Amino acid sequence: MDTVTRRRFLELSGVMSTGAFAAACSSSHGHPGSAPTPTPGGPTTSGAQLGAAAQHSPLTPGQGVVVLVTLYGGNDGLNTVIPYADPAYHDARPDLAYTASDILDLGDGLGFNPAMTGLHELWQRKLCAVVRGVGYPQPNHSHFVSMDIWQTATPGEPTGSGWLGRWLDAQPDDQIRALKAISVGGTLPPLLGGTKTAGSSLPIGQFRLPEPGPLDNGFMALGQPSAQDSALVAYASRDVADLFTVAKTFSPALASASKAAGKTAGKAKAAAGGAAKAAKTSALAQQLDIVAECINASVPTRVYSVSLGGFDTHSAEKGTQSQLWGEVDKAVVDFQNAIAAGPHGKNVVTVLYTEFGRRVTANANEGTDHGTAGPVLVVGEPVNGGFYGEQPSLTDLDDGDLKFNTDFRSVYATLLDKVLGADPAQVLGQDQPRLAFL
């Protein structure tokens, strides 16, 4: 390619990419049914930007990474961590209850849902912690209000920023700040929105490299350095080279995700019920596959947010929840295996939470209604496996609801302190007791 033409092209592309990134940082991304999106909103990032950051500002060895798995809909904690030895459990939900022969034993008269085989193995290896009875004062039964409380970490006091958005506000104001917290899937949840900045969203399925040939060779030539390059041209040239390097790194995972989604869509036409459930499997697995790729590539992101819906089980709960936990179990364990041998696997902590638990007593439709306290699961190499917090009583209730005994902000304070190296009081507004799961 002619040097003058190349230089002019790179000058324009460098200016345009800088402007596009600045515009993205000032754009707003809403989240239907949630708290108002903080200002400024979060940008949409790309694998190229993540890969460039990985090359020029890689994740420092030893730095902790938090992966948040949000289970939307209100997961039934009593059929997740099952008090199978408590007669009150069987009396309250005879058709939904699991017996001792069904569960995966954890000790203390408790057991995992039978679908959680991989997580049970991690429990046996002391890599899985169960924080019991997690909630907050004056609980709210609304999906949106309760999730807003969990994501902003401000019970009883509305706010316009997420707890991890406030952590992000305190990070150095540099080119990679918005990449330090990423939501995979294209939507930025309120928890990543700060008052001064916000995390980024990473849409799935965005890389399209040219086919091998003249066009591919021509674009790759743009990334070759030249002694005649100005600082701006050299910067743009480096970005072009990064684009190809990163696209080739991330394309297999994203292509696989897109292919899986396409197969799921085809199955949905043939068998709507079963394929709709399969779609959820691929959705969470796709998200965590990409997170694993990013972590193993040393992308400097410290927080990842992924999610799965469908836990609002007002009817036919037993089969639905078991199927959902089978999906979660496989996706999380596969993710753990994918990062285990990587450069940062020993520093990654995965947290599974939901907006509230379910009522103790089953309803008339073989389901459960919106409740309060429930378990939070924490997984990873840095985790001290075991039980934390007291198991809520099934007979000493608050108008039919479980009484919480562990404030969810203690979970957050522990993550902020032990994984992200931050002062929890600055993020949460006040200090909170730490838990020993890390």
Side-chain angles (χ1 to χ4, degrees), residues 106-126:
L106 302 174
D108 291 354
L110 300 170
F112 272 156
N113 186 290
M116 300 166 65
T117 54
L119 287 166
H120 185 246
E121 182 181 348
L122 292 177
W123 169 272
Q124 293 175 318
R125 294 169 53 196
K126 305 297 184 183

Side-chain angles (χ1 to χ4, degrees), residues 355-383:
E355 65 261 43
F356 46 59
R358 316 293 293 188
R359 302 278 281 184
V360 175
T361 302
N363 61 30
N365 298 314
E366 297 187 6
T368 52
D369 298 326
H370 300 176
T372 52
V376 170
L377 273 58
V378 188
V379 175
E381 291 286 344
V383 172

Side-chain angles (χ1 to χ4, degrees), residues 33-353:
S34 300
T37 303
T39 302
T44 298
T45 189
S46 68
Q49 287 172 327
L50 294 178
Q55 289 192 12
H56 305 301
S57 303
L59 186 66
T60 302
Q63 279 192 317
V65 175
V66 174
V67 180
L68 286 177
V69 181
T70 304
L71 306 178
Y72 285 108
N75 172 57
D76 182 9
L78 291 177
N79 271 11
T80 301
V81 179
I82 303 166
Y84 69 92
D86 190 340
Y89 164 72
H90 297 275
D91 292 341
R93 44 172 71 185
D95 294 328
L96 293 182
Y98 288 93
T99 66
S101 61
D102 297 324
I103 58 89
L104 301 169
D105 190 58
L106 302 174
D108 291 354
L110 300 170
F112 272 156
N113 186 290
M116 300 166 65
T117 54
L119 287 166
H120 185 246
E121 182 181 348
L122 292 177
W123 169 272
Q124 293 175 318
R125 294 169 53 196
K126 305 297 184 183
L127 299 180
C128 176
V130 175
V131 187
R132 301 179 290 189
V134 184
Y136 56 87
Q138 300 179 328
N140 193 294
H141 289 118
S142 162
H143 289 294
F144 303 121
V145 174
S146 189
M147 184 54 73
D148 183 43
I149 288 170
W150 275 81
Q151 296 207 13
T152 62
T154 54
E157 185 178 347
T159 184
S161 62
W163 70 281
L164 285 167
R166 296 193 293 275
W167 166 78
L168 200 61
D169 282 341
Q171 301 305 300
D173 186 9
D174 54 29
Q175 290 183 334
I176 66 168
R177 181 163 72 170
L179 300 181
K180 289 182 180 178
I182 290 177
S183 171
V184 179
T187 300
L188 191 76
L191 66 91
L192 297 187
T195 58
K196 297 185 294 185
T197 187
S200 302
S201 58
L202 176 64
I204 294 175
Q206 55 187 302
F207 295 120
R208 293 185 180 179
L209 290 171
E211 295 293 331
L215 182 60
D216 180 58
N217 294 334
F219 273 108
M220 290 186 68
L222 292 172
Q224 299 300 314
S226 169
Q228 301 178 15
D229 288 345
S230 66
L232 179 63
V233 171
Y235 183 86
S237 173
R238 187 182 69 186
D239 275 359
V240 171
D242 290 341
L243 171 64
F244 277 81
T245 299
V246 177
K248 290 179 179 179
T249 299
F250 286 90
S251 286
L254 294 175
S256 176
S258 298
K259 185 177 181 180
K263 288 183 178 179
T264 298
K267 291 180 181 178
K269 295 179 180 179
K277 294 178 182 179
K280 294 172 185 173
T281 307
S282 62
L284 184 59
Q286 288 166 36
Q287 293 169 60
L288 287 175
D289 282 350
I290 292 169
V291 173
E293 293 276 357
C294 290
I295 292 173
N296 288 338
S298 296
V299 170
T301 302
R302 303 290 304 282
V303 174
Y304 294 91
S305 173
V306 299
S307 64
L308 178 67
F311 288 87
D312 197 18
T313 51
H314 289 280
S315 62
E317 177 186 301
K318 199 168 186 178
T320 299
Q321 191 201 26
S322 181
Q323 181 267 328
L324 286 168
W325 269 106
E327 297 171 4
V328 174
D329 182 85
K330 186 177 189 311
V332 170
V333 173
D334 285 352
F335 167 74
Q336 190 65 30
N337 290 337
I339 63 172
H344 307 286
K346 294 185 181 299
N347 307 307
V348 179
V349 177
T350 302
V351 182
L352 293 81
Y353 78 101

Side-chain angles (χ1 to χ4, degrees), residues 1-10 222 226-229 233:
M1 178 177 289
D2 178 72
T3 303
V4 175
T5 304
R6 171 183 173 276
R7 179 182 303 158
R8 181 61 178 158
F9 181 89
L10 290 173
L222 292 172
S226 169
Q228 301 178 15
D229 288 345
V233 171

